[in-house]
Amino acid sequence: MTSSYPLWSDEPATQDLLAFRAVAETAADAIFDDGLDPVAIGLSGAWGSGKTSVLELIKSEITERSKDSDRKVLVIPTQPWLYDPAVSPKESLIAEVLGALSKEFKESDPAGKAGLEAFKKLVRKVNWSKAVKMAAKTAVTMQLPNIDEVFGLVSDEPESLDSEKGMAAFREEFETLLADPALAHLSRVVVLVDDLDRCLPDTVVETLEAIRLFLSAEGMSFVIAADEDRVAEAIQQKLKTAPPKNEDEDPAKLYLHKIVQTTIPLPALSVRAQGSLQRLPYSAGATCVHIADLPC
């Protein structure tokens, strides 16, 4: 017996079947706007609304816009939901960003060799004592010649990222690193964060704190695809923020909006009885999906 309601793959689409290109173009406009540099953009929608597919469209749009430029846009996809639970989410995200940057240094070039030394100095700011296994596996160490230097990354100094002083130093040195002549071929770095709303509260907050670390540097952009309400709930649980009073904004969302400057809501979709898809106007709260003529 054939089902009237076939199951569809949950994998991200490679074609724009849901007419989300306009959303991707809006996000790309913000990323390439020098007046918004650095920037963190939220891409908000309920689970299954197509956020991952939109991230793929954003990546494609970035590639298309930068293909004729002599400077590269480095795109780094990451999924905090898949981070190793034995490793701090903050260190995990930092490792992915630094790992991707490590591939951009050319040791054959004097500027690249000097920049690599500055890069290694920055890596040592990270407290890898909780993440030695990961440090040994990631691209962060690919430029290091032997395992002794891998363990040389381990730092328990007071100025590690566990302190405000250490975080301030990391921000300053990372900003200097991005401006290094060795990375002059990069116009910007774009990190695409997916599935943050699937994470436990600790992971959500630590990932946002890591993003805040990077947002001091010009040329850094983040696109965070998540259900804003679920992320705010995780923040409220982790930080034990008070519920909003009267018409005041939720303190958890105020915390989120200190990091994410603007949010693009995904358009709601309606599935008609004939099986066709119709795009609806933007609505931040419209997440209801109609199947045939059944009410939500």
Side-chain angles (χ1 to χ4, degrees):
M1 177 174 161
T2 304
S3 171
S4 301
Y5 305 103
L7 295 176
W8 299 92
S9 171
D10 192 40
E11 293 300 310
T14 56
Q15 292 179 296
D16 186 17
L17 301 177
L18 301 178
F20 281 160
R21 176 65 63 180
V23 178
E25 290 174 349
T26 300
D29 286 344
I31 290 168
F32 283 91
D33 187 342
D34 292 337
L36 297 177
D37 182 19
V39 66
I41 305 163
L43 189 67
S44 184
W47 289 353
S49 59
K51 297 186 295 297
T52 302
S53 295
V54 175
L55 286 182
E56 290 296 321
L57 290 172
I58 292 172
K59 183 178 179 180
S60 174
E61 184 69 19
I62 290 171
T63 301
E64 181 65 24
R65 294 192 187 194
S66 58
K67 67 180 182 181
D68 296 326
S69 173
D70 57 353
R71 299 184 70 198
K72 174 182 177 181
V73 177
L74 179 61
V75 180
I76 307 171
T78 186
Q79 289 182 279
W81 190 46
L82 300 179
Y83 288 166
D84 185 341
V87 179
S88 163
K90 186 184 297 181
E91 273 82 4
S92 296
L93 178 58
I94 289 171
E96 291 205 340
V97 174
L98 295 184
L101 282 174
S102 73
K103 301 176 184 178
E104 300 299 321
F105 293 97
K106 297 178 182 178
E107 284 195 274
S108 58
D109 177 57
K113 190 172 182 179
L116 186 57
E117 290 305 312
F119 170 81
K120 290 178 182 178
K121 181 181 178 183
L122 178 64
V123 169
R124 289 186 177 92
K125 286 288 183 184
V126 181
N127 187 342
W128 294 108
S129 59
K130 296 176 287 186
V132 173
K133 180 176 71 172
M134 181 177 189
K137 292 190 298 183
T138 64
V140 169
T141 60
M142 68 175 295
Q143 302 283 1
L144 302 178
N146 55 55
I147 194 66
D148 291 334
E149 290 207 34
V150 172
F151 282 91
L153 296 177
V154 180
S155 169
D156 288 307
E157 297 176 0
E159 291 188 18
S160 73
L161 292 180
D162 293 330
S163 70
E164 280 299 321
K165 186 177 180 182
M167 291 174 69
F170 181 93
R171 280 195 295 267
E172 182 178 337
E173 291 192 27
F174 181 77
E175 188 171 7
T176 301
L177 181 71
L178 274 194
D180 193 285
L183 298 178
H185 64 286
L186 296 180
S187 64
R188 50 189 28 90
V189 177
V190 181
V191 184
L192 305 178
V193 184
D194 198 10
D195 288 336
L196 185 62
D197 49 1
R198 295 176 182 264
C199 299
L200 294 173
D202 284 357
T203 300
V204 170
V205 173
E206 284 204 39
T207 300
L208 290 173
E209 288 179 352
I211 290 172
R212 184 165 58 92
L213 269 178
F214 287 117
L215 282 176
S216 63
E218 288 187 6
M220 287 299 297
S221 300
F222 285 84
V223 182
I224 305 166
D227 184 329
E228 183 177 299
D229 290 337
R230 302 291 80 77
V231 172
E233 287 173 4
I235 293 170
Q236 186 176 44
Q237 291 179 43
K238 171 63 177 176
L239 302 182
K240 303 188 186 312
T241 60
K245 296 179 180 179
N246 301 323
E247 296 183 359
D248 293 344
E249 187 172 2
D250 186 344
K253 287 193 175 181
L254 284 172
Y255 175 94
L256 178 60
H257 295 162
K258 287 287 186 181
I259 299 169
V260 180
Q261 291 100 312
T262 186
T263 299
I264 305 172
L266 287 190
L269 295 174
S270 177
V271 182
R272 303 302 180 186
Q274 291 85 358
S276 62
L277 294 176
Q278 178 180 344
R279 182 174 174 180
L280 298 180
Y282 280 102
S283 176
T287 57
C288 180
V289 175
H290 295 277
I291 300 180
D293 291 323
L294 298 176
C296 292

